[in-house]
Amino acid sequence: NVQALQITEVWEQIMGATIARYTDSIQIANQTLFITTSVAPLRNELVYQKEKIIQRVNEALGEQVIKEVVIR
């Protein structure tokens, strides 16, 4: 999946080095972005920023790829 590869490349640019460092994995499936982190405060922060994440990721990929964000 090309978009999945792209998202890992742009994730740090989109969200910053600190968040990228503590993100365990990022996957795209069925227009949903799955973000895995074991850091609870970061998980809360990402939940709070869902709309912004959707906007930024779609902007970075140049199309409406993501409609939903799931943080686990």
Side-chain angles (χ1 to χ4, degrees), residues 48-66:
Y48 183 70
Q49 289 191 33
K50 274 186 182 185
E51 287 302 315
K52 194 192 289 182
I53 294 169
I54 292 170
Q55 274 181 325
R56 286 183 177 180
V57 169
N58 287 335
E59 227 167 77
L61 298 178
E63 53 185 315
Q64 293 297 309
V65 180
I66 308 299

Side-chain angles (χ1 to χ4, degrees), residues 28-34 54 58 64-69:
I28 297 176
N30 304 324
Q31 297 185 310
T32 303
L33 180 67
F34 293 93
I54 292 170
N58 287 335
Q64 293 297 309
V65 180
I66 308 299
K67 292 211 163 100
E68 186 61 53
V69 174

Side-chain angles (χ1 to χ4, degrees), residues 22-38:
Y22 294 110
T23 304
D24 298 328
S25 76
I26 322 164
Q27 292 162 311
I28 297 176
N30 304 324
Q31 297 185 310
T32 303
L33 180 67
F34 293 93
I35 306 167
T36 310
T37 178
S38 49

